[in-house]
Amino acid sequence: MTHAHALRGLGLDGARRGAPLLLQRTDLEVVPAVLDELSTDAGRRKLAASVARERGDDGRLRLYQPVHRTFHLALVEAFCDEVGEPRVDPRRVESAGLVVRRLGRGGTTTEGWMRTENRVLGWKALAAAQLERDPDPARRPAPLRAGNAEVTRRLSEAVAVEEVAETVSPLFVAPPDVCRAAGRTVLFGFVPLSSAETSEEPRTPVVYTDAEVRELLPVWVRTVGTHAWAQDREYDDGTTSGQLRFLETIGFWDAAEVMAALNGVTVRYGSPRWQNGQQVWDRTGRLGDELRAAKDSLDAPARRTTEARQWTVSSATASAVMAAAKRLLEARMAAARPGVGRFDPRNDRFSVRAFARLKRCDGCPPELVWSEPSEPFAIVPWYEAGVLPPVRVVLPDATPESLRKLKPSVSFVTPRSVADKMAGMGLKDLTEGKGPSGGGMGLDWICGFNIPIITLCAFIVLSLFLALLNIVFWWLPFVKICIPLPRSLPREEV
């Protein structure tokens, strides 16, 4: 005789819950500590105190990432759904796991992190019929078949079989002695709350509006008409509001379409004069070519300064520049924008659900049973403080006796091209925008550095900049907190 089975959260406090029990632990040896506590009544009461309970301002449960040195375990029990609810024989658990699912905006959809054999698909919405299907497509029931080929074809069309798998984290059956002591068949596993995986599916393209592109473009190419630069002011191609650096940053120099459109702008240099009834200038040029020349001068030891006095932008040229810039920006964004990370969005809500495959006595495929989903939770961002004290870094004493004991602990192999540029680099030249003046011995070098001293220097510079920027951000009370140590406390006991 067979009977139904079920999974539910482990009831440490006597309460019965259908969802997995989520623990929050900071032990260095999490699993041995949890199994030890499961083995005794006193330990189970202690274990109940480590149930995840922290909530945000919105009342939502919050779980920490491993970067906070905090781990979350899911505990469930497998039992027979009959009078007395006897526990399932641990040997009947063929395999088990848990899935982390994302709850769609508004809570109307549930999404699973899906993949094929060779591709990560990312978050995909699950239909109601898919919420309790086997995450492994190879373990799902075979397609419906009939004796008639036409009926079989129509059935296949009506019941499509997807070869898409849902990402699973394993659940493990507690050792037999622990299950006997607890009087339950306990399954446990870590809840994954961080991941380097990103979706390989194409993202929805980012589309810039005309207003956004117009705002990004320099004023001297987005405004139609003839414009004049003041006679008493020099037009420096390299410093005009950082426009050239902006163009360089987004890669306009390598975009032939944009540079061709910029060449529709005529730039005039020098002082105008009349000749044969026409106004002439010392020199005229096309803006795209002039910007390339100015860019080249930025990389040269001596920067080129010109006196551009007038330029003309036609309506067609302004439209061509904006259209080319828009296409380039969207292409650059598509290339630079990574796929959606599994746990990237900070405001997403998630839930955990456990499942187990139980061997049947009649030789049929294993029975798949699911727990209820956990309550929705948010993942604490990596930059927020955790529950443990901060990591401690001990700086060396800044005394001659202490510093003499320190030796270079890391070395850099410096090619002669780098060494020669560094030898000819002066602070005065850098502040004036000049490149390295050359020099050096034309040799490759190995340069050793002392990391503890560099750390000390970085700490001093960091403190200075924190105090300086505090004028703007007023963040010092939150960034730096110093507590004096009692003189009676030996430093090695800190």
Side-chain angles (χ1 to χ4, degrees), residues 250-310:
I250 61 177
F252 274 13
W253 310 117
D254 301 326
E257 183 184 7
V258 175
M259 300 309 290
L262 290 174
N263 273 337
V265 179
T266 301
V267 186
R268 305 175 184 90
Y269 297 88
S271 301
R273 60 186 182 278
W274 292 93
Q275 181 177 329
N276 299 327
Q278 293 184 340
Q279 190 179 47
V280 296
W281 297 76
D282 294 347
R283 184 172 69 85
T284 61
R286 299 186 302 176
L287 182 58
D289 296 337
E290 295 299 316
L291 288 176
R292 284 191 184 277
K295 187 260 182 183
D296 294 339
S297 73
L298 291 177
D299 299 332
R303 294 171 62 186
R304 185 183 74 120
T305 302
T306 60
E307 296 180 357
R309 298 305 180 192
Q310 192 183 87

Short mmCIF file of all heavy atoms in Angstrom, two decimals, residues 250-310:
data_model
loop_
_atom_site.label_atom_id
_atom_site.label_comp_id
_atom_site.label_asym_id
_atom_site.label_seq_id
_atom_site.Cartn_x
_atom_site.Cartn_y
_atom_site.Cartn_z
N ILE A 250 33.22 58.41 -24.88
CA ILE A 250 32.19 57.55 -25.46
C ILE A 250 32.60 57.02 -26.83
O ILE A 250 31.80 56.39 -27.51
CB ILE A 250 30.85 58.29 -25.56
CG1 ILE A 250 30.96 59.53 -26.46
CG2 ILE A 250 30.35 58.70 -24.20
CD1 ILE A 250 29.63 60.24 -26.64
N GLY A 251 33.85 57.26 -27.22
CA GLY A 251 34.37 56.61 -28.41
C GLY A 251 33.99 57.25 -29.72
O GLY A 251 33.91 56.57 -30.74
N PHE A 252 33.74 58.59 -29.73
CA PHE A 252 33.40 59.24 -30.99
C PHE A 252 34.56 59.19 -31.98
O PHE A 252 34.35 59.21 -33.18
CB PHE A 252 33.01 60.70 -30.73
CG PHE A 252 31.56 60.88 -30.38
CD1 PHE A 252 30.78 59.78 -30.05
CD2 PHE A 252 30.98 62.13 -30.38
CE1 PHE A 252 29.45 59.93 -29.73
CE2 PHE A 252 29.65 62.29 -30.05
CZ PHE A 252 28.88 61.20 -29.72
N TRP A 253 35.78 59.14 -31.46
CA TRP A 253 36.93 59.18 -32.35
C TRP A 253 36.95 57.96 -33.29
O TRP A 253 37.44 58.05 -34.41
CB TRP A 253 38.23 59.22 -31.55
CG TRP A 253 38.25 60.28 -30.50
CD1 TRP A 253 38.34 60.09 -29.15
CD2 TRP A 253 38.16 61.69 -30.70
NE1 TRP A 253 38.31 61.29 -28.50
CE2 TRP A 253 38.20 62.30 -29.43
CE3 TRP A 253 38.04 62.50 -31.82
CZ2 TRP A 253 38.14 63.67 -29.25
CZ3 TRP A 253 37.97 63.87 -31.64
CH2 TRP A 253 38.03 64.44 -30.38
N ASP A 254 36.42 56.85 -32.82
CA ASP A 254 36.44 55.63 -33.62
C ASP A 254 35.14 55.43 -34.41
O ASP A 254 34.98 54.39 -35.06
CB ASP A 254 36.66 54.41 -32.71
CG ASP A 254 37.97 54.51 -31.95
OD1 ASP A 254 38.93 55.06 -32.52
OD2 ASP A 254 38.02 54.04 -30.80
N ALA A 255 34.24 56.40 -34.35
CA ALA A 255 32.95 56.27 -35.02
C ALA A 255 32.99 57.08 -36.31
O ALA A 255 32.85 58.31 -36.29
CB ALA A 255 31.82 56.74 -34.11
N ALA A 256 33.14 56.39 -37.42
CA ALA A 256 33.27 57.09 -38.70
C ALA A 256 32.00 57.88 -39.02
O ALA A 256 32.08 58.99 -39.58
CB ALA A 256 33.57 56.08 -39.80
N GLU A 257 30.83 57.33 -38.67
CA GLU A 257 29.58 58.01 -38.99
C GLU A 257 29.46 59.34 -38.27
O GLU A 257 29.05 60.35 -38.84
CB GLU A 257 28.40 57.11 -38.65
CG GLU A 257 27.05 57.71 -39.02
CD GLU A 257 25.88 56.85 -38.58
OE1 GLU A 257 26.12 55.85 -37.85
OE2 GLU A 257 24.74 57.17 -38.95
N VAL A 258 29.84 59.36 -36.99
CA VAL A 258 29.76 60.60 -36.22
C VAL A 258 30.76 61.62 -36.73
O VAL A 258 30.43 62.81 -36.91
CB VAL A 258 29.99 60.31 -34.72
CG1 VAL A 258 30.03 61.61 -33.93
CG2 VAL A 258 28.91 59.40 -34.18
N MET A 259 31.99 61.17 -36.98
CA MET A 259 33.01 62.11 -37.44
C MET A 259 32.65 62.65 -38.82
O MET A 259 32.90 63.83 -39.12
CB MET A 259 34.37 61.44 -37.46
CG MET A 259 34.83 60.93 -36.09
SD MET A 259 34.73 62.18 -34.78
CE MET A 259 36.04 63.29 -35.27
N ALA A 260 32.04 61.82 -39.66
CA ALA A 260 31.61 62.31 -40.98
C ALA A 260 30.52 63.35 -40.83
O ALA A 260 30.49 64.35 -41.56
CB ALA A 260 31.13 61.13 -41.83
N ALA A 261 29.60 63.13 -39.88
CA ALA A 261 28.55 64.12 -39.65
C ALA A 261 29.13 65.42 -39.10
O ALA A 261 28.70 66.51 -39.47
CB ALA A 261 27.50 63.55 -38.68
N LEU A 262 30.12 65.32 -38.21
CA LEU A 262 30.76 66.52 -37.66
C LEU A 262 31.50 67.30 -38.73
O LEU A 262 31.69 68.52 -38.61
CB LEU A 262 31.71 66.14 -36.53
CG LEU A 262 31.06 65.63 -35.23
CD1 LEU A 262 32.12 65.16 -34.25
CD2 LEU A 262 30.21 66.72 -34.60
N ASN A 263 31.92 66.62 -39.77
CA ASN A 263 32.60 67.33 -40.85
C ASN A 263 31.66 68.24 -41.63
O ASN A 263 32.11 69.02 -42.47
CB ASN A 263 33.27 66.33 -41.80
CG ASN A 263 34.66 65.96 -41.35
OD1 ASN A 263 35.30 66.71 -40.61
ND2 ASN A 263 35.14 64.80 -41.77
N GLY A 264 30.37 68.14 -41.36
CA GLY A 264 29.43 69.08 -41.97
C GLY A 264 29.46 70.45 -41.34
O GLY A 264 28.83 71.38 -41.83
N VAL A 265 30.17 70.59 -40.21
CA VAL A 265 30.30 71.87 -39.52
C VAL A 265 31.57 72.55 -40.01
O VAL A 265 32.66 71.98 -39.90
CB VAL A 265 30.34 71.69 -37.99
CG1 VAL A 265 30.48 73.03 -37.30
CG2 VAL A 265 29.09 70.96 -37.51
N THR A 266 31.46 73.76 -40.53
CA THR A 266 32.62 74.53 -41.00
C THR A 266 33.14 75.39 -39.87
O THR A 266 32.38 76.15 -39.24
CB THR A 266 32.24 75.41 -42.19
OG1 THR A 266 31.74 74.59 -43.25
CG2 THR A 266 33.44 76.20 -42.70
N VAL A 267 34.45 75.30 -39.60
CA VAL A 267 35.09 76.07 -38.53
C VAL A 267 36.04 77.08 -39.18
O VAL A 267 36.80 76.73 -40.09
CB VAL A 267 35.85 75.15 -37.57
CG1 VAL A 267 36.39 75.92 -36.37
CG2 VAL A 267 34.95 74.02 -37.09
N ARG A 268 36.03 78.32 -38.70
CA ARG A 268 36.86 79.38 -39.27
C ARG A 268 37.80 79.91 -38.20
O ARG A 268 37.40 80.12 -37.06
CB ARG A 268 35.98 80.49 -39.83
CG ARG A 268 34.95 79.99 -40.84
CD ARG A 268 34.00 81.09 -41.30
NE ARG A 268 32.98 80.54 -42.20
CZ ARG A 268 31.82 80.06 -41.80
NH1 ARG A 268 31.52 80.06 -40.50
NH2 ARG A 268 30.96 79.56 -42.68
N TYR A 269 39.05 80.16 -38.59
CA TYR A 269 40.10 80.57 -37.65
C TYR A 269 40.66 81.93 -38.05
O TYR A 269 40.66 82.30 -39.24
CB TYR A 269 41.23 79.54 -37.66
CG TYR A 269 40.83 78.16 -37.19
CD1 TYR A 269 40.32 77.22 -38.08
CD2 TYR A 269 40.94 77.80 -35.85
CE1 TYR A 269 39.94 75.96 -37.66
CE2 TYR A 269 40.57 76.55 -35.41
CZ TYR A 269 40.06 75.63 -36.32
OH TYR A 269 39.68 74.38 -35.90
N GLY A 270 41.19 82.61 -37.04
CA GLY A 270 41.87 83.87 -37.29
C GLY A 270 40.93 85.06 -37.26
O GLY A 270 39.93 85.06 -36.54
N SER A 271 41.24 86.07 -38.08
CA SER A 271 40.44 87.30 -38.13
C SER A 271 39.83 87.43 -39.51
O SER A 271 40.51 87.24 -40.52
CB SER A 271 41.32 88.52 -37.83
OG SER A 271 41.92 88.40 -36.54
N PRO A 272 38.54 87.77 -39.58
CA PRO A 272 37.90 87.90 -40.90
C PRO A 272 38.35 89.19 -41.60
O PRO A 272 38.68 90.19 -40.97
CB PRO A 272 36.41 87.95 -40.54
CG PRO A 272 36.37 88.52 -39.16
CD PRO A 272 37.61 88.03 -38.46
N ARG A 273 38.38 89.13 -42.90
CA ARG A 273 38.69 90.31 -43.72
C ARG A 273 37.98 90.15 -45.05
O ARG A 273 37.58 89.05 -45.44
CB ARG A 273 40.20 90.44 -43.91
CG ARG A 273 40.86 89.27 -44.61
CD ARG A 273 42.38 89.41 -44.62
NE ARG A 273 43.02 88.31 -45.32
CZ ARG A 273 43.27 87.12 -44.79
NH1 ARG A 273 42.95 86.89 -43.52
NH2 ARG A 273 43.85 86.16 -45.50
N TRP A 274 37.84 91.25 -45.73
CA TRP A 274 37.13 91.25 -47.00
C TRP A 274 38.14 91.22 -48.14
O TRP A 274 39.12 91.95 -48.15
CB TRP A 274 36.22 92.47 -47.12
CG TRP A 274 35.08 92.40 -46.15
CD1 TRP A 274 35.03 92.93 -44.91
CD2 TRP A 274 33.85 91.74 -46.38
NE1 TRP A 274 33.84 92.64 -44.30
CE2 TRP A 274 33.06 91.89 -45.21
CE3 TRP A 274 33.30 91.03 -47.44
CZ2 TRP A 274 31.80 91.39 -45.08
CZ3 TRP A 274 32.04 90.53 -47.31
CH2 TRP A 274 31.28 90.70 -46.14
N GLN A 275 37.88 90.36 -49.09
CA GLN A 275 38.75 90.24 -50.25
C GLN A 275 37.89 89.95 -51.47
O GLN A 275 37.18 88.95 -51.51
CB GLN A 275 39.77 89.11 -50.02
CG GLN A 275 40.75 88.92 -51.16
CD GLN A 275 41.77 87.85 -50.85
OE1 GLN A 275 42.14 87.64 -49.69
NE2 GLN A 275 42.25 87.17 -51.89
N ASN A 276 37.99 90.85 -52.43
CA ASN A 276 37.20 90.72 -53.65
C ASN A 276 35.71 90.59 -53.35
O ASN A 276 34.98 89.78 -53.94
CB ASN A 276 37.66 89.53 -54.51
CG ASN A 276 39.09 89.66 -54.96
OD1 ASN A 276 39.58 90.78 -55.19
ND2 ASN A 276 39.78 88.54 -55.09
N GLY A 277 35.26 91.36 -52.35
CA GLY A 277 33.85 91.38 -52.03
C GLY A 277 33.38 90.20 -51.20
O GLY A 277 32.18 90.05 -50.97
N GLN A 278 34.29 89.37 -50.75
CA GLN A 278 33.93 88.21 -49.93
C GLN A 278 34.71 88.24 -48.62
O GLN A 278 35.84 88.72 -48.57
CB GLN A 278 34.24 86.91 -50.67
CG GLN A 278 33.37 86.68 -51.90
CD GLN A 278 33.65 85.34 -52.52
OE1 GLN A 278 34.71 84.75 -52.29
NE2 GLN A 278 32.72 84.85 -53.34
N GLN A 279 34.06 87.72 -47.58
CA GLN A 279 34.72 87.61 -46.28
C GLN A 279 35.58 86.35 -46.26
O GLN A 279 35.10 85.25 -46.52
CB GLN A 279 33.69 87.55 -45.15
CG GLN A 279 34.31 87.68 -43.76
CD GLN A 279 33.26 87.63 -42.67
OE1 GLN A 279 32.40 86.77 -42.70
NE2 GLN A 279 33.32 88.56 -41.73
N VAL A 280 36.84 86.53 -45.95
CA VAL A 280 37.76 85.40 -45.89
C VAL A 280 38.40 85.35 -44.51
O VAL A 280 38.44 86.34 -43.79
CB VAL A 280 38.85 85.52 -46.99
CG1 VAL A 280 38.25 85.44 -48.37
CG2 VAL A 280 39.66 86.80 -46.82
N TRP A 281 38.90 84.15 -44.16
CA TRP A 281 39.52 83.91 -42.86
C TRP A 281 40.94 83.40 -43.07
O TRP A 281 41.31 82.97 -44.16
CB TRP A 281 38.71 82.89 -42.07
CG TRP A 281 37.32 83.36 -41.74
CD1 TRP A 281 36.25 83.42 -42.57
CD2 TRP A 281 36.88 83.86 -40.48
NE1 TRP A 281 35.15 83.92 -41.94
CE2 TRP A 281 35.51 84.20 -40.63
CE3 TRP A 281 37.49 84.07 -39.25
CZ2 TRP A 281 34.74 84.71 -39.60
CZ3 TRP A 281 36.72 84.58 -38.21
CH2 TRP A 281 35.38 84.89 -38.39
N ASP A 282 41.70 83.43 -41.98
CA ASP A 282 43.07 82.92 -42.07
C ASP A 282 43.08 81.45 -42.47
O ASP A 282 43.92 81.00 -43.25
CB ASP A 282 43.80 83.09 -40.74
CG ASP A 282 44.02 84.55 -40.38
OD1 ASP A 282 43.82 85.40 -41.26
OD2 ASP A 282 44.36 84.83 -39.21
N ARG A 283 42.11 80.72 -41.93
CA ARG A 283 42.04 79.29 -42.24
C ARG A 283 40.65 78.80 -41.94
O ARG A 283 39.99 79.26 -41.01
CB ARG A 283 43.06 78.51 -41.40
CG ARG A 283 43.13 77.01 -41.73
CD ARG A 283 44.31 76.36 -41.00
NE ARG A 283 44.10 76.31 -39.56
CZ ARG A 283 43.42 75.34 -38.94
NH1 ARG A 283 42.87 74.36 -39.63
NH2 ARG A 283 43.30 75.36 -37.61
N THR A 284 40.16 77.84 -42.71
CA THR A 284 38.88 77.18 -42.45
C THR A 284 39.11 75.66 -42.40
O THR A 284 40.11 75.16 -42.93
CB THR A 284 37.84 77.49 -43.54
OG1 THR A 284 38.33 77.03 -44.79
CG2 THR A 284 37.56 78.99 -43.61
N GLY A 285 38.23 75.00 -41.76
CA GLY A 285 38.37 73.54 -41.65
C GLY A 285 37.04 72.89 -41.35
O GLY A 285 36.02 73.56 -41.13
N ARG A 286 37.05 71.58 -41.37
CA ARG A 286 35.87 70.81 -41.04
C ARG A 286 36.01 70.30 -39.61
O ARG A 286 37.08 69.83 -39.21
CB ARG A 286 35.70 69.65 -42.01
CG ARG A 286 35.52 70.12 -43.46
CD ARG A 286 35.22 68.97 -44.40
NE ARG A 286 36.26 67.95 -44.39
CZ ARG A 286 36.18 66.81 -45.08
NH1 ARG A 286 35.11 66.56 -45.81
NH2 ARG A 286 37.17 65.94 -45.05
N LEU A 287 34.91 70.39 -38.84
CA LEU A 287 34.98 70.15 -37.40
C LEU A 287 35.49 68.76 -37.07
O LEU A 287 36.28 68.57 -36.14
CB LEU A 287 33.61 70.38 -36.77
CG LEU A 287 33.55 70.22 -35.25
CD1 LEU A 287 34.52 71.16 -34.56
CD2 LEU A 287 32.14 70.46 -34.73
N GLY A 288 35.02 67.74 -37.80
CA GLY A 288 35.48 66.39 -37.51
C GLY A 288 36.98 66.26 -37.61
O GLY A 288 37.65 65.71 -36.74
N ASP A 289 37.54 66.82 -38.72
CA ASP A 289 39.00 66.77 -38.90
C ASP A 289 39.71 67.59 -37.84
O ASP A 289 40.77 67.19 -37.34
CB ASP A 289 39.35 67.28 -40.30
CG ASP A 289 38.79 66.39 -41.40
OD1 ASP A 289 38.53 65.21 -41.10
OD2 ASP A 289 38.61 66.88 -42.53
N GLU A 290 39.14 68.74 -37.47
CA GLU A 290 39.77 69.59 -36.46
C GLU A 290 39.77 68.91 -35.08
O GLU A 290 40.74 69.02 -34.33
CB GLU A 290 39.04 70.93 -36.39
CG GLU A 290 39.14 71.77 -37.64
CD GLU A 290 40.59 72.13 -37.96
OE1 GLU A 290 41.32 72.51 -37.05
OE2 GLU A 290 40.98 72.01 -39.14
N LEU A 291 38.70 68.21 -34.77
CA LEU A 291 38.66 67.52 -33.48
C LEU A 291 39.66 66.38 -33.43
O LEU A 291 40.29 66.13 -32.39
CB LEU A 291 37.24 66.98 -33.23
CG LEU A 291 36.17 68.03 -32.90
CD1 LEU A 291 34.81 67.37 -32.76
CD2 LEU A 291 36.52 68.78 -31.63
N ARG A 292 39.82 65.70 -34.55
CA ARG A 292 40.85 64.65 -34.59
C ARG A 292 42.23 65.23 -34.36
O ARG A 292 43.05 64.68 -33.62
CB ARG A 292 40.79 63.91 -35.92
CG ARG A 292 39.64 62.93 -36.07
CD ARG A 292 39.83 62.07 -37.30
NE ARG A 292 38.69 61.18 -37.50
CZ ARG A 292 38.54 60.02 -36.89
NH1 ARG A 292 39.45 59.62 -36.02
NH2 ARG A 292 37.48 59.26 -37.13
N ALA A 293 42.50 66.37 -35.00
CA ALA A 293 43.80 67.01 -34.80
C ALA A 293 43.97 67.47 -33.37
O ALA A 293 45.05 67.34 -32.79
CB ALA A 293 43.93 68.20 -35.77
N ALA A 294 42.88 68.00 -32.77
CA ALA A 294 42.97 68.42 -31.37
C ALA A 294 43.18 67.24 -30.45
O ALA A 294 43.94 67.31 -29.48
CB ALA A 294 41.69 69.16 -30.98
N LYS A 295 42.54 66.12 -30.77
CA LYS A 295 42.71 64.91 -29.96
C LYS A 295 44.15 64.44 -30.03
O LYS A 295 44.76 64.05 -29.03
CB LYS A 295 41.76 63.84 -30.46
CG LYS A 295 41.74 62.58 -29.58
CD LYS A 295 42.58 61.48 -30.16
CE LYS A 295 42.50 60.23 -29.30
NZ LYS A 295 43.37 59.16 -29.81
N ASP A 296 44.73 64.47 -31.23
CA ASP A 296 46.13 64.07 -31.37
C ASP A 296 47.03 64.99 -30.57
O ASP A 296 48.04 64.56 -29.99
CB ASP A 296 46.54 64.08 -32.84
CG ASP A 296 45.80 63.02 -33.65
OD1 ASP A 296 45.32 62.06 -33.02
OD2 ASP A 296 45.70 63.18 -34.88
N SER A 297 46.67 66.28 -30.50
CA SER A 297 47.52 67.22 -29.74
C SER A 297 47.44 66.95 -28.25
O SER A 297 48.37 67.24 -27.51
CB SER A 297 47.09 68.66 -30.04
OG SER A 297 45.86 68.97 -29.42
N LEU A 298 46.31 66.37 -27.78
CA LEU A 298 46.21 66.04 -26.35
C LEU A 298 47.21 64.96 -25.97
O LEU A 298 47.66 64.89 -24.83
CB LEU A 298 44.80 65.56 -26.02
CG LEU A 298 43.69 66.61 -26.08
CD1 LEU A 298 42.35 65.96 -25.80
CD2 LEU A 298 43.95 67.74 -25.10
N ASP A 299 47.53 64.08 -26.91
CA ASP A 299 48.45 62.99 -26.64
C ASP A 299 49.90 63.39 -26.87
O ASP A 299 50.82 62.61 -26.60
CB ASP A 299 48.12 61.79 -27.54
CG ASP A 299 46.71 61.27 -27.28
OD1 ASP A 299 46.25 61.44 -26.14
OD2 ASP A 299 46.10 60.73 -28.21
N ALA A 300 50.12 64.59 -27.41
CA ALA A 300 51.49 65.02 -27.71
C ALA A 300 52.06 65.81 -26.54
O ALA A 300 51.31 66.34 -25.71
CB ALA A 300 51.49 65.88 -28.98
N PRO A 301 53.41 65.93 -26.45
CA PRO A 301 54.00 66.70 -25.34
C PRO A 301 53.54 68.15 -25.33
O PRO A 301 53.30 68.72 -24.27
CB PRO A 301 55.50 66.58 -25.61
CG PRO A 301 55.65 65.33 -26.41
CD PRO A 301 54.43 65.24 -27.25
N ALA A 302 53.39 68.78 -26.48
CA ALA A 302 52.95 70.16 -26.55
C ALA A 302 51.54 70.20 -27.11
O ALA A 302 51.29 69.72 -28.21
CB ALA A 302 53.89 70.98 -27.45
N ARG A 303 50.60 70.76 -26.38
CA ARG A 303 49.21 70.79 -26.81
C ARG A 303 48.99 71.90 -27.82
O ARG A 303 49.51 73.00 -27.69
CB ARG A 303 48.30 71.01 -25.60
CG ARG A 303 48.33 69.85 -24.62
CD ARG A 303 47.59 70.20 -23.37
NE ARG A 303 46.18 70.47 -23.64
CZ ARG A 303 45.35 70.91 -22.71
NH1 ARG A 303 45.78 71.13 -21.49
NH2 ARG A 303 44.09 71.14 -23.00
N ARG A 304 48.20 71.61 -28.85
CA ARG A 304 47.92 72.58 -29.89
C ARG A 304 46.78 73.48 -29.44
O ARG A 304 45.73 73.02 -29.01
CB ARG A 304 47.51 71.86 -31.17
CG ARG A 304 47.31 72.79 -32.35
CD ARG A 304 46.85 71.98 -33.54
NE ARG A 304 45.45 71.59 -33.36
CZ ARG A 304 44.47 71.93 -34.19
NH1 ARG A 304 44.75 72.65 -35.24
NH2 ARG A 304 43.24 71.55 -33.97
N THR A 305 46.99 74.79 -29.54
CA THR A 305 45.96 75.76 -29.22
C THR A 305 45.65 76.57 -30.47
O THR A 305 46.56 77.07 -31.14
CB THR A 305 46.41 76.70 -28.09
OG1 THR A 305 46.72 75.92 -26.95
CG2 THR A 305 45.33 77.70 -27.74
N THR A 306 44.39 76.66 -30.80
CA THR A 306 43.98 77.39 -31.99
C THR A 306 43.03 78.51 -31.60
O THR A 306 42.56 78.58 -30.46
CB THR A 306 43.29 76.45 -32.99
OG1 THR A 306 42.15 75.90 -32.35
CG2 THR A 306 44.21 75.34 -33.44
N GLU A 307 42.73 79.35 -32.53
CA GLU A 307 41.82 80.46 -32.31
C GLU A 307 40.65 80.34 -33.28
O GLU A 307 40.61 80.99 -34.32
CB GLU A 307 42.54 81.80 -32.50
CG GLU A 307 43.65 82.02 -31.48
CD GLU A 307 44.35 83.35 -31.68
OE1 GLU A 307 44.00 84.06 -32.64
OE2 GLU A 307 45.22 83.67 -30.87
N ALA A 308 39.71 79.46 -32.94
CA ALA A 308 38.51 79.30 -33.77
C ALA A 308 37.55 80.43 -33.42
O ALA A 308 37.15 80.57 -32.27
CB ALA A 308 37.87 77.95 -33.50
N ARG A 309 37.21 81.23 -34.41
CA ARG A 309 36.38 82.41 -34.15
C ARG A 309 34.94 82.24 -34.59
O ARG A 309 34.06 82.93 -34.11
CB ARG A 309 36.99 83.63 -34.85
CG ARG A 309 38.38 84.00 -34.37
CD ARG A 309 38.41 84.21 -32.87
NE ARG A 309 39.73 84.58 -32.38
CZ ARG A 309 40.07 84.59 -31.09
NH1 ARG A 309 39.19 84.22 -30.19
NH2 ARG A 309 41.28 84.94 -30.73
N GLN A 310 34.69 81.35 -35.51
CA GLN A 310 33.34 81.24 -36.04
C GLN A 310 33.12 79.84 -36.61
O GLN A 310 34.04 79.23 -37.14
CB GLN A 310 33.12 82.29 -37.14
CG GLN A 310 31.66 82.45 -37.56
CD GLN A 310 31.51 83.44 -38.69
OE1 GLN A 310 31.63 83.05 -39.86
NE2 GLN A 310 31.27 84.71 -38.37
#
